[in-house]
């Protein structure tokens, strides 16, 4: 964990602006409008003060003050600190994907990730980007998580979706469905189970966590009638993980597992592929949920929603998920100190 601010004892949390034409600034502004939040952390917004002021005015928040700082070392408690990635005027076009927005989202992300790696901030919470307009010669990644991971090449990670007592991880994530069966291997499942188990212990302060493992095929293969991956890959991987101290249970058919509320009995759930875990998560996580990149030596969280172009600049975006992402980052920092 990066060193905390020496003068206040509060963690420095970097907040990236995301896509300037989406709802990123709206949720950031709404979260920071409640002055009580400054009792928990020192906010450092990586973005552009002119864009911040643009949205501040549009949402009737002119009274909100901020300080533009050169770098994170100048951040002070009980105020909004902004690190500009550029002093140039940026054309803001709410609701539209533009090249300018893509370059701006990458510039802010790059600054914040560098500071996170170098220990200048304690954690980072990322607002949503557009995965298409951010692409460039410098950014050839599937998303922000893969980019952040590139700063820590020696560490494996697992994405955890978190909402209250639900924590869902993935064996495979952003790959085509047709590639899932060939990607899932015994070694990969073991690796993800160990990553999830370690995170539940270290980041969530759970002693001897119980992890439910979902099957790949309908009805978890139904006695090998609908597929043999459960017998040949998933169960053998679970046995090895158990020998290494992981309490893994299953594999369970996903439909019955979530439909019967069986998920409430477990501290973590390992999903085989993206939609298998994300679909029930979105239904059950009424507060929107948070994404946490577990396994890295640093703390990074984000919302699970997208840029929200369709509601951009309308002052109707719900900031709860972004607020939860901040508080989860703070909780994980505190739990890592305890462990």
């Amino acid at each position: 964990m990066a060193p905390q601010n020496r003068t206040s004892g509060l963690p420095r949390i970097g907040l990236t602006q995301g896509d300037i034409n989406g709802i990123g600034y709206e949720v950031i502004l709404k979260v920071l409008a409640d002055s009580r939040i400054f009792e928990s952390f020192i906010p450092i917004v990586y973005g552009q003060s002119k864009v911040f002021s643009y949205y501040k005015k549009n949402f009737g928040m002119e009274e909100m003050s901020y300080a533009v700082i050169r770098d994170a070392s100048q951040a002070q408690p009980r105020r909004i600190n902004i690190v500009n990635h550029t002093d140039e005027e940026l054309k803001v076009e709410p609701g539209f994907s533009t090249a300018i927005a893509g370059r701006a989202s990458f510039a802010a992300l790059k600054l914040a990730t560098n500071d996170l790696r170098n220990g200048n901030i304690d954690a980072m919470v990322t607002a949503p980007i557009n995965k298409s307009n951010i692409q460039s010669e410098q950014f050839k990644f599937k998303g922000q998580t893969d980019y952040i991971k590139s700063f820590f090449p020696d560490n494996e990670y697992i994405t955890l979706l978190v909402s209250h007592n639900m924590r869902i991880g993935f064996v495979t994530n952003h790959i085509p469905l047709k590639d899932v069966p060939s990607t899932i291997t015994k070694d990969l499942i073991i690796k993800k189970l160990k990553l999830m188990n370690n995170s539940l212990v270290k980041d969530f302060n759970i002693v001897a966590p119980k992890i439910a493992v979902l099957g790949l095929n309908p009805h978890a293969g139904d006695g090998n009638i609908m597929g043999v991956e459960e017998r040949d890959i998933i169960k053998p991987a679970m046995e090895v993980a158990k020998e290494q101290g992981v309490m893994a249970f299953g594999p369970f058919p996903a439909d019955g597992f979530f439909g019967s509320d069986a998920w409430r009995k477990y501290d973590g759930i390992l999903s085989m592929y993206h939609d298998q875990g994300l679909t029930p998560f979105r239904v059950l996580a009424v507060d929107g949920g948070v994404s946490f990149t577990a396994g890295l030596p640093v703390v990074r969280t984000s919302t699970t929603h997208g840029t929200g172009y369709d509601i951009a600049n309308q002052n109707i975006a719900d900031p709860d998920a972004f607020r939860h992402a901040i508080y989860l980052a703070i909780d994980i920092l505190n739990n890592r100190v305890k462990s």
Side-chain angles (χ1 to χ4, degrees):
M1 186 185 75
Q4 290 188 352
N5 179 265
R6 295 180 179 179
T7 58
S8 69
L10 296 176
R12 299 170 183 261
I13 310 293
L15 314 175
T16 64
Q17 66 181 357
D19 191 299
I20 62 173
N21 295 330
I23 61 174
Y25 272 107
E26 180 176 344
V27 296
I28 290 172
L29 281 163
K30 287 179 175 178
V31 167
L32 298 182
D34 186 347
S35 61
R36 293 173 297 180
I37 204 164
F38 296 112
E39 299 173 4
S40 302
F41 76 107
I42 300 173
I44 305 173
V45 179
Y46 289 81
Q48 223 279 350
S49 55
K50 295 176 182 178
V51 179
F52 188 94
S53 293
Y54 168 86
Y55 281 110
K56 185 163 69 83
K57 180 180 178 180
N58 284 6
F59 299 141
M61 300 180 180
E62 288 91 345
E63 74 285 354
M64 286 183 67
S65 61
Y66 61 82
V68 176
I69 58 177
R70 184 180 65 255
D71 55 57
S73 67
Q74 296 181 327
Q76 294 297 317
R78 303 204 65 82
R79 76 178 190 190
I80 300 169
N81 303 275
I82 298 180
V83 176
N84 281 332
H85 64 80
T86 181
D87 292 325
E88 297 179 3
E89 294 279 353
L90 296 177
K91 186 177 183 180
V92 181
E93 300 181 73
F96 293 92
S97 172
T98 66
I100 290 174
R103 290 193 295 269
S105 59
F106 172 62
L109 178 64
K110 182 179 179 181
L111 272 178
T113 307
N114 268 308
D115 274 354
L116 184 66
R117 176 182 59 182
N118 295 330
N120 299 323
I121 55 177
D122 299 290
M124 177 170 67
V125 181
T126 55
I129 63 165
N130 181 312
K131 295 176 182 178
S132 178
N133 68 26
I134 196 175
Q135 298 297 320
S136 68
E137 286 300 314
Q138 291 182 292
F139 191 100
K140 296 182 178 180
F141 300 89
K142 293 180 180 179
Q144 297 185 99
T145 300
D146 288 342
Y147 174 75
I148 295 165
K149 166 63 176 66
S150 71
F151 282 69
F152 307 94
D154 296 331
N155 294 89
E156 298 290 344
Y157 78 90
I158 181 171
T159 296
L160 297 184
L161 301 184
V162 182
S163 177
H164 302 290
N165 292 325
M166 179 188 292
R167 305 169 194 90
I168 300 182
F170 301 86
V171 177
T172 65
N173 202 341
H174 293 130
I175 64 173
L177 188 58
K178 65 181 178 61
D179 296 334
V180 169
S182 61
T183 303
I184 293 175
T185 64
K186 177 181 173 182
D187 288 343
L188 182 59
I189 294 174
I190 295 170
K191 180 192 300 182
K192 296 295 186 178
L193 276 170
K194 292 171 69 175
L195 283 167
M196 174 176 271
N197 186 76
N198 290 342
S199 179
L200 291 173
V201 173
K202 180 178 69 174
D203 300 324
F204 295 88
N205 198 28
I206 299 173
V207 178
K210 297 188 297 181
I211 300 175
V213 179
L214 302 182
L216 173 65
N217 298 295
H219 306 294
D222 207 1
N224 309 316
I225 296 174
M226 299 184 185
V228 296
E229 284 84 359
E230 285 76 14
R231 180 194 65 193
D232 296 345
I233 300 174
I234 300 176
K235 288 182 179 179
M238 292 172 60
E239 291 304 315
V240 173
K242 288 177 183 178
E243 293 172 1
Q244 298 180 12
V246 178
M247 295 177 61
F249 302 84
F252 298 105
D255 57 347
F257 181 79
F258 289 106
S260 66
D261 273 358
W263 62 270
R264 298 182 185 276
K265 302 176 183 178
Y266 299 92
D267 302 298
I269 303 161
L270 186 65
S271 170
M272 290 296 119
Y273 57 93
H274 183 273
D275 285 13
Q276 183 187 52
L278 192 59
T279 301
F281 181 83
R282 290 199 182 281
V283 173
L284 296 169
V286 294
D287 59 356
V290 177
S291 176
F292 166 51
T293 310
L296 300 184
V298 295
V299 176
R300 177 266 178 151
T301 63
S302 67
T303 63
T304 60
H305 62 68
T307 56
Y309 285 149
D310 58 324
I311 60 171
N313 207 31
Q314 297 178 38
N315 202 15
I316 58 175
D318 189 339
D320 280 353
F322 198 80
R323 182 182 296 108
H324 291 320
I326 293 173
Y327 282 128
L328 178 61
I330 295 170
D331 286 345
I332 291 170
L333 287 172
N334 291 334
N335 287 334
R336 287 189 177 186
V337 171
K338 296 176 185 176
S339 64

